[in-house]
Amino acid sequence: MASARIQGLTMPKWGLSMNRGKVVQWLVSEGSSVTAEMDIVEVESEKITGAVPTPAAGILRRQVASPGDDLPVGAL
């Protein structure tokens, strides 16, 4: 039986000056199946708002951050 590999999704860095981002909304619910490169969370920085895609296909097991959370680049 093959074990599923857990893949983390981190706050992206969109540009040299970006050091934080805010979670605007989740586009996918916990427990939902996702495909690779599917947009699952909307993030806002000082300069841009955009969707963050999944790094791999699988099931979204847990949303660590909540809408409104302000996180440093690289945070889960």
Side-chain angles (χ1 to χ4, degrees):
M1 178 177 185
S3 63
R5 183 171 171 245
I6 295 174
Q7 181 75 38
L9 181 67
T10 59
M11 181 61 70
K13 183 171 179 84
W14 295 328
L16 295 174
S17 65
M18 182 178 172
N19 56 19
R20 302 192 72 73
K22 182 185 288 187
V23 175
V24 176
Q25 69 175 334
W26 283 94
L27 306 173
V28 176
S29 302
E30 286 184 352
S32 296
S33 293
V34 296
T35 58
E37 299 301 316
M38 180 178 180
D39 292 340
I40 63 168
V41 64
E42 190 174 329
V43 169
E44 177 182 79
S45 73
E46 291 179 0
K47 297 182 180 181
I48 190 170
T49 299
V52 180
T54 61
I59 296 172
L60 179 61
R61 296 288 181 195
R62 186 168 154 206
Q63 297 171 350
V64 177
S66 299
D69 285 356
D70 187 36
L71 305 168
V73 167
L76 282 175

